[in-house]
Every structure is written in structure tokens, then in C-alpha cells.
Amino acid sequence: SITMRMGPAAFLPALAVAVAWSDAPEPARRLEASVDANGDVAVTMNGDTWFETAGAFVRSGGVLHASPGFSPPPGAPGQPGDRADLELVEIRRDEGGMDSLGEYLATTSHWSAGHVRFETEVRVYGDLGFVVFAQNF
């Protein structure tokens, strides 16, 4: 099992894809992504955690807005004016849909960082075996 810790609002590009691969027969594979009450994401395959996030932050207008429990990566410089005011406003879970990639199940988190509003979305394409992360400002 591999664990990656990242701030979902800052380290992920506008669109990122995590490919989950398993040698297990297709019906035995179970890819899931969960979002907890703090907005942290955990991606699991057959119940084993592949990676998870640990706090969130976004930099806007030169100011870092972080969730209260966020710890910057080692060596990341703090800046005057940085603040722990990133607020998770709402989570919408289990929104099914279909796009050009196929059927998915999505969880969308709505965030507020001072005057900046944005959302992060995790789409699980379970039948295809991958997860797509997106941000919308």
C-alpha cells in the first residue's frame, strides 16, 4: 500500500487522473474514493488505501488559505499574511453521471478562501478502474 499526502486544492492540477490497476479479475476489483467531513480524500482499491490527502490549501493573491489542520510540506516557506481560513462549505456525495470517459460516481466539495470560492471534485470510474480529480474556480 502506498500513501501520498497532499493538499487537494493546491497540488492537483486542474485535471489529474489516478490510474488504479490490479491483477485481480475485474469483478473482484473495487475502486472507491471517499471524502471526509474535513474534505480529505482517500482512494482505496479492494479496501486497501492507495493514497490519502492531509489538509487542503489554496494560494490566492499571494496569500495561502489553509484548512485548520493543514501542515505545509517540509521546507515550504510560510509567508506573512498566510492564514488558516479555508472553509469547507458543502459536500455533495454520490452524484452519478456519464461523460465521454464513461459512467462515474462523483463527490464535489465546495470551498471558501476569503473572497475566493472554488470546488474540487473526485470522479470514480469504477468499471474502468480510474479516478479523476478536478478543480473549478
Side-chain angles (χ1 to χ4, degrees), residues 87-130:
E87 177 186 1
L88 178 58
V89 177
E90 176 188 16
I91 299 175
R92 289 193 325 250
R93 300 178 192 280
D94 302 329
E95 299 174 300
M98 178 175 261
D99 60 17
S100 60
L101 297 175
E103 281 190 64
Y104 63 84
L105 194 58
T107 300
T108 306
S109 302
H110 296 265
W111 302 87
S112 173
H115 67 282
V116 177
R117 307 284 187 264
F118 66 98
E119 60 186 44
T120 55
E121 182 179 55
V122 181
R123 288 185 180 182
V124 177
Y125 294 81
D127 291 344
L128 301 173
F130 62 90

Side-chain angles (χ1 to χ4, degrees), residues 6 31 37 42 59 61 67 75-76 115 117:
M6 65 182 114
L31 177 65
R59 189 169 291 281
S67 58
H115 67 282
R117 307 284 187 264

